[in-house]
Amino acid sequence: EKGSFITSTGALATLSGAKTGRSPRDKRVVRDDTTEGDLWWGSPNIEMDEHTFMVNRERAVDYLNSLDKVFVNDQFLNWDPEHRIKVRIVSARAYHSLFMHNMCIRATPEELENFGTPDFTIYNAGQFPCNRYTHYMTSSTSIDLNLGRREMVILGTQYAGEMKKGLFGVMHYLMPLRGILSLHSGCNMGKDGDVALFFGLSGTGKTTLSTDHNRYLIGDDEHCWSDNGVSNIEGGCYAKCIDLSAEKEPDIFNAIKFGTVLENVVFDEHTRQVDYSDKSVTENTRAAYPIEYIPNAKLPCVGPHPKNVILLACDAFGVLPPVSRLNLAQTMYHFISGYTALVAGTEDGIKEPQATFSACFGAAFIMMHPTRYAAMLAEKMQKHGATGWLVNTGWSGGRGSYGSGSRIKLSYTRKIINAIHSGELLEANYTKTEIFGLEIPSSIEGVPSEILQPANTVSVLLAIFFFVPLLVYGRKLRCWTFLGFAVVGQEGLQ
């Protein structure tokens, strides 16, 4: 394919064109009898009508029909055989087909013979723009979802992540209807069968921290929690690879070989060696590879009910402590608020860290009201005795402005996560912050004690970070006031 190259390790390097990140403002969902009462309308689910969807669908199909060759993938979502979904992806670019071959669950030849009618279909004509004068369109890019027809149309963007996240949104709709919680999380399992979930937005470390050579990887980004336990939705991993090195992330580094797709990286034209520190195209450089490229991947990608639920926040302003233990009400609060700082490159137009509150650590992908997912999470954690943790993978010791304080070393974060896995932190001594009663461990082996405690001068800033979501989402999320009382209590509010 023109513009695609084999690197020195055998991976396929390619460019996604003008769009090097998702375009959430260009995503639309058809509002009809199927979706009217179920979806959380507004942002992220901006409505469109059936007629406009069909106009864009015809535009995409006409473009695909004009090509000499198109690429079709028939694959599955969800490793739990009881709840798996059949998907078909029709795309114009070979790299898109290979990307989805890596990211979805690959069917056996026998399964392909009996695949039948897919449950959901994507028409990816991303090289061709939508007509920006069409009703509901705001640019030449449009990602359109029709849950009634079980179809998705992509126009005007070649960023492969739109397909992956579009299907994730579909699972966020279909699974709760079956009583299954869909999760934007990484997941791994210890040798004793203890499972940990890692929630977080792009750039918070889900892939890095869930990929641990001492534990089995169930998945790095998307999961379901059913009565059967947890299961990975995908068949691959989608890792950020800016500043990637064999020393810091050996499993991910070694997974970049023949079959892997490298998106928007820069490499030497003679040696074909990739410069992972080069961000001249974008900071959002990515690697997509089958999960079996990770040597300790658990196949099939299923596990028992989680023991620990870890909420990751990349706090670029140095306010949150590196780790704190949460009770059930606090876990619900942080799950719904989903605080982090969007780092450069994860979305189109993001150049510097921006504070954001993303419901359920994935507001761009959820389809229903956040409280529906939060209530399901609380019920499952309580039923199965899981412990909640808040882990800051960003800066510590700051005073509320980007650049103050210092970045928490990955080695420290790994020691914190290891202490959670081993149960060491359950036995630790804790102190509570004056505001919101966060429980912070006094010491963790291998982690300097001075970085564990946030400075007293940031207590007011900490309160602001907790209350901003109340101000932003207060009208939409009517449970915020209730959760505020549950977390703080009367004494804390006074």
Side-chain angles (χ1 to χ4, degrees):
E1 181 184 65
K2 184 179 179 181
S4 296
F5 305 88
I6 296 295
T7 68
S8 60
T9 63
L12 182 80
T14 188
L15 298 173
S16 65
K19 299 283 187 178
T20 58
R22 290 181 295 105
S23 300
R25 296 178 187 85
D26 296 309
K27 174 189 167 188
R28 300 287 182 273
V29 184
V30 172
R31 189 166 188 158
D32 56 16
D33 293 340
T34 301
T35 59
E36 175 71 38
D38 284 336
L39 265 60
W40 188 35
W41 294 105
S43 178
N45 299 307
I46 306 170
E47 68 177 86
M48 71 185 306
D49 59 31
E50 177 90 15
H51 173 76
T52 306
F53 175 85
M54 294 305 295
V55 169
N56 283 351
R57 182 187 187 276
E58 184 170 3
R59 190 175 177 92
V61 171
D62 284 349
Y63 173 75
L64 291 168
N65 280 331
S66 72
L67 302 176
D68 293 332
K69 181 186 291 184
V70 295
F71 302 88
V72 182
N73 298 52
D74 282 350
Q75 299 181 262
F76 301 108
L77 298 177
N78 198 348
W79 283 85
D80 183 348
E82 188 179 338
H83 301 292
R84 78 178 183 180
I85 301 296
K86 297 186 293 184
V87 294
R88 175 168 293 163
I89 303 102
V90 184
S91 50
R93 290 194 64 180
Y95 117 72
H96 286 158
S97 182
L98 178 57
F99 176 91
M100 294 307 286
H101 174 79
N102 290 348
M103 295 309 303
C104 294
I105 300 168
R106 290 156 291 284
T108 64
E110 293 75 22
E111 288 171 332
L112 285 175
E113 284 291 328
N114 302 295
F115 193 79
T117 304
D119 299 309
F120 200 86
T121 302
I122 294 178
Y123 298 101
N124 188 346
Q127 289 168 293
F128 197 66
C130 71
N131 185 333
R132 59 194 176 93
Y133 295 108
T134 304
H135 191 37
Y136 296 103
M137 302 298 103
T138 54
S139 72
S140 60
T141 297
S142 190
I143 303 102
D144 305 330
L145 194 60
N146 189 324
L147 293 170
R149 290 180 60 92
R150 303 292 176 93
E151 292 180 340
M152 180 180 179
V153 170
I154 298 175
L155 290 164
T157 174
Q158 297 174 61
Y159 182 64
E162 296 289 6
M163 294 181 288
K164 165 187 159 63
K165 290 304 185 184
L167 289 176
F168 190 29
V170 171
M171 295 297 281
H172 267 311
Y173 173 75
L174 295 177
M175 292 298 101
L177 295 178
R178 303 184 182 186
I180 299 169
L181 177 59
S182 51
L183 304 166
H184 186 209
S185 69
C187 183
N188 64 25
M189 185 179 79
K191 293 178 173 59
D192 296 327
D194 60 298
V195 169
L197 290 174
F198 297 81
F199 288 96
L201 301 176
S202 295
T204 57
K206 283 196 320 302
T207 299
T208 298
L209 295 173
S210 57
T211 306
D212 183 336
H213 65 274
N214 293 315
R215 295 172 64 84
Y216 301 111
L217 178 68
I218 293 176
D220 76 321
D221 193 50
E222 303 175 9
H223 291 86
C224 288
W225 189 350
S226 70
D227 291 338
N228 301 329
V230 293
S231 57
N232 191 353
I233 289 175
E234 302 178 297
C237 302
Y238 192 37
K240 288 196 74 173
C241 50
I242 192 71
D243 294 325
L244 180 67
S245 69
E247 294 72 30
K248 290 192 298 185
E249 300 172 81
D251 288 341
I252 296 174
F253 187 88
N254 292 329
I256 299 176
K257 56 187 179 181
F258 184 79
T260 296
V261 174
L262 283 172
E263 206 171 31
N264 297 319
V265 299
V266 177
F267 60 91
D268 185 281
E269 63 179 7
H270 300 293
T271 65
R272 302 291 180 105
Q273 289 185 326
V274 177
D275 182 358
Y276 291 108
S277 64
D278 193 322
K279 50 188 176 184
S280 57
V281 177
T282 177
E283 286 203 28
N284 191 33
T285 52
R286 295 276 186 167
Y289 47 87
I291 194 166
E292 55 264 32
Y293 280 19
I294 299 296
N296 57 329
K298 184 182 183 302
L299 298 172
C301 301
V302 296
H305 298 287
K307 179 179 177 181
N308 292 295
V309 173
I310 301 168
L311 311 182
L312 302 172
C314 178
D315 177 19
F317 309 99
V319 173
L320 292 178
V323 61
S324 49
R325 184 173 61 182
L326 306 175
N327 60 34
L328 189 61
Q330 288 172 323
T331 304
M332 287 181 67
Y333 182 97
H334 286 280
F335 178 69
I336 292 181
S337 64
Y339 165 67
T340 193
L342 280 181
V343 296
T346 53
E347 287 186 11
D348 192 44
I350 301 295
K351 303 299 182 185
E352 292 186 358
Q354 295 181 9
T356 186
F357 296 89
S358 184
C360 308
F361 287 93
F365 322 122
I366 63 174
M367 305 297 287
M368 300 177 182
H369 196 281
T371 54
R372 183 161 183 174
Y373 303 100
M376 292 179 71
L377 176 64
E379 184 271 330
K380 291 183 180 298
M381 287 183 65
Q382 193 167 35
K383 181 178 180 179
H384 301 290
T387 304
W389 307 88
L390 179 64
V391 174
N392 175 17
T393 60
W395 280 254
S396 180
R399 299 181 180 275
S401 60
Y402 174 58
S404 62
S406 57
R407 186 73 191 260
I408 300 169
K409 292 182 180 179
L410 177 59
S411 59
Y412 293 160
T413 301
R414 286 200 184 278
K415 285 182 170 62
I416 289 169
I417 298 298
N418 290 340
I420 292 173
H421 292 324
S422 68
E424 173 191 335
L425 278 191
L426 285 177
E427 308 300 326
N429 295 320
Y430 286 85
T431 58
K432 282 190 176 183
T433 59
E434 294 180 6
I435 299 177
F436 280 83
L438 284 179
E439 293 188 13
I440 302 172
S442 303
S443 63
I444 299 174
E445 185 176 352
V447 181
S449 57
E450 60 269 19
I451 76 166
L452 293 174
Q453 298 289 337
N456 293 330
T457 54
V458 302
S459 60
V460 174
L461 291 168
L462 184 60
I464 291 172
F465 272 102
F466 277 80
F467 277 115
V468 163
L470 301 181
L471 302 175
V472 174
Y473 295 123
R475 293 185 179 180
K476 289 185 178 180
L477 308 183
R478 295 181 181 180
C479 70
W480 276 110
T481 303
F482 166 76
L483 285 175
F485 275 104
V487 176
V488 185
Q490 183 177 355
E491 182 180 349
L493 284 175
Q494 289 175 348

